[in-house]
């Protein structure tokens, strides 16, 4: 039996699932640098408490979603199909865990952001944006699971 070669998209998907930090950190660092360059960091500094509380709420939401996914038995036909169609669950848990930990680790430094702390502001905001990107990525994967569910429920 001959095996086929992976397409370019499949190779890229394997790479970015293996090294997600590269795909997330570059845009987050660029956005944080842009905010600092155009002196827009002051707006975020004024709302740092709100951002910290929002990050904690997002982390709690991600934790609840993971708990719901774990509670579905492996014998469930839907879960069997999800496991067959991709490594979505592993990636969702990985990305959610990264986002949760990042939100919790930067919560305390967010309270100490001020106009004189340029490096701290840059690092905290870039980490916050990275955690948001991981959150969006995990939500995308959860959407893929819902699409699989709908596709296989009609059969």
């Amino acid at each position: 039996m001959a095996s086929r070669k992976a397409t370019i998209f499949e190779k890229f998907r394997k790479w970015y699932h293996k090294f997600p930090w590269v795909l997330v950190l570059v845009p987050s660092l660029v956005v944080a640098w842009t905010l600092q360059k155009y002196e827009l960091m002051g707006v975020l500094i004024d709302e740092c408490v709100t951002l910290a509380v929002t990050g904690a709420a997002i982390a709690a939401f991600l934790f609840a979603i993971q708990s719901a996914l774990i509670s579905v038995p492996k014998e469930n036909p839907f879960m069997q199909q999800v496991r067959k169609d991709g490594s979505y669950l592993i990636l969702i848990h990985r990305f959610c865990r990264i986002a949760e930990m990042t939100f919790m680790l930067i919560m305390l430094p967010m309270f100490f952001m001020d106009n004189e702390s340029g490096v701290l502001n840059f690092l905290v905001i870039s980490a916050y944006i990275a955690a948001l990107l991981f959150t969006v990525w995990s939500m995308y994967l959860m959407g893929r699971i819902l699409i699989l569910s709908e596709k296989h429920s009609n059969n």
Side-chain angles (χ1 to χ4, degrees):
M1 173 163 60
S3 63
R4 69 175 183 85
K5 289 182 96 177
T7 64
I8 292 173
F9 180 73
E10 290 170 337
K11 289 178 184 178
F12 180 70
R13 184 171 45 185
K14 180 182 178 185
W15 177 81
Y16 76 72
H17 283 165
K18 197 174 213 180
F19 305 106
W21 280 104
V22 174
L23 202 61
V24 169
L25 280 182
V26 170
S28 65
L29 291 171
V30 168
V31 169
W33 177 81
T34 304
L35 288 170
Q36 208 160 30
K37 181 176 180 350
Y38 293 108
E39 298 176 0
L40 298 171
M41 197 66 78
V43 176
L44 296 176
I45 292 170
D46 293 340
E47 299 298 327
C48 64
V49 173
T50 305
L51 289 173
V53 171
T54 303
I58 292 171
F61 173 72
L62 292 173
F63 185 77
I65 286 175
Q66 290 181 87
S67 299
L69 284 174
I70 289 174
S71 68
V72 179
K74 291 179 184 177
E75 297 80 26
N76 184 310
F78 165 68
M79 290 306 285
Q80 289 176 353
Q81 192 62 47
V82 167
R83 291 175 189 274
K84 183 180 127 195
D85 283 351
S87 58
Y88 294 117
L89 293 178
I90 295 167
L91 294 173
I92 288 170
H93 291 304
R94 180 183 305 152
F95 297 160
C96 285
R97 186 178 62 241
I98 291 169
E100 290 166 2
M101 294 304 295
T102 304
F103 280 128
M104 292 297 104
L105 288 173
I106 65 171
M107 182 185 285
L108 192 57
M110 287 188 92
F111 294 125
F112 295 102
M113 291 175 63
D114 59 13
N115 290 327
E116 288 80 36
S117 306
V119 175
L120 174 71
N121 296 344
F122 176 78
L123 293 175
V124 168
I125 293 303
S126 61
Y128 192 87
I129 293 168
L132 285 175
L133 290 174
F134 274 117
T135 301
V136 169
W137 201 347
S138 62
M139 293 293 118
Y140 166 77
L141 292 173
M142 289 179 207
R144 295 288 308 155
I145 287 177
L146 292 174
I147 290 169
L148 283 173
S149 167
E150 187 62 29
K151 182 173 88 174
H152 293 294
S153 68
N154 291 336
N155 292 341

